[in-house]
Amino acid sequence: MSLFSKLFGGKRSSGPDAAEPWHRTQWFESNAGGEETPIGRSWGERMPNEPNQYNYPGSYREYFEDIFSREFEDYRVRRSENPRTDRAVAYTFFDGARTALVVELLSRRTDTQVLRRSCKRSGIPYLRFYYDYHGWWNARSYVVNRIQDALRR
């Protein structure tokens, strides 16, 4: 056991969801003031009064996967981990055998363009959502509306 583990009580967790509780606490504490974000918009000074990734009782991945399964149940959705970084994960929506949409969840500290460019070359609709960008709440209505719009293309 390392000195760090001995001092802080066991094994450190790693991976993209490990910092989730810290981010959540930071967001709540830093957004006590300012104007509330209007319903339907995903960015603003204060948390909107609607479901969003920061008031969801799970990780950001669980939040998005819940939206995908509840709101887009007619699509088969497959998750793909990014082999180059644990700060990005992609979800491919299938309508039968056709690839209907690719959604990528990214850290603001990730500047990966490979999947976005591949989708553009292939003519596949592509969306990205940042899960750790200050002031971006990923409100449920915002996420659902963006995905619905992309699926209509």
Side-chain angles (χ1 to χ4, degrees):
M1 186 179 280
S2 71
L3 178 60
F4 184 88
S5 296
K6 289 176 185 174
L7 290 173
F8 294 101
K11 184 180 175 185
R12 284 182 45 180
S13 60
S14 62
D17 292 338
E20 186 71 24
W22 180 86
H23 284 298
R24 194 172 300 214
T25 302
Q26 180 188 27
W27 279 88
F28 285 129
E29 289 173 357
S30 68
N31 286 288
E35 183 179 323
E36 185 175 303
T37 300
I39 301 285
R41 194 177 82 193
S42 193
W43 62 93
E45 294 177 38
R46 273 190 24 218
M47 183 183 299
N49 188 19
E50 70 172 302
N52 64 76
Q53 83 175 56
Y54 293 97
N55 62 16
Y56 184 78
S59 71
Y60 70 91
R61 285 187 182 196
E62 291 168 330
Y63 171 72
F64 280 94
E65 289 172 3
D66 180 64
I67 291 173
F68 301 158
S69 67
R70 291 176 188 261
E71 302 290 337
F72 302 98
E73 60 188 24
D74 292 342
Y75 294 87
R76 183 173 47 90
V77 180
R78 186 186 75 215
R79 181 175 71 203
S80 303
E81 302 296 329
N82 187 314
R84 295 186 176 123
T85 178
D86 64 355
R87 294 180 179 167
V89 62
Y91 295 85
T92 305
F93 288 63
F94 294 96
D95 184 8
R98 179 182 73 89
T99 302
L101 173 67
V102 173
V103 173
E104 193 168 31
L105 306 181
L106 294 169
S107 166
R108 65 183 172 82
R109 297 178 305 250
T110 303
D111 188 30
T112 181
Q113 302 290 327
V114 175
L115 184 57
R116 174 187 253 176
R117 289 179 185 139
S118 174
C119 287
K120 185 174 183 175
R121 279 192 303 271
S122 302
I124 298 169
Y126 169 88
L127 293 176
R128 60 175 37 182
F129 294 96
Y130 292 99
Y131 59 80
D132 62 351
Y133 206 96
H134 185 76
W136 287 80
W137 302 100
N138 289 320
R140 189 175 190 95
S141 62
Y142 172 78
V143 172
V144 169
N145 288 337
R146 280 192 70 203
I147 292 172
Q148 285 174 338
D149 288 347
L151 288 168
R152 286 188 201 116
R153 291 186 216 153

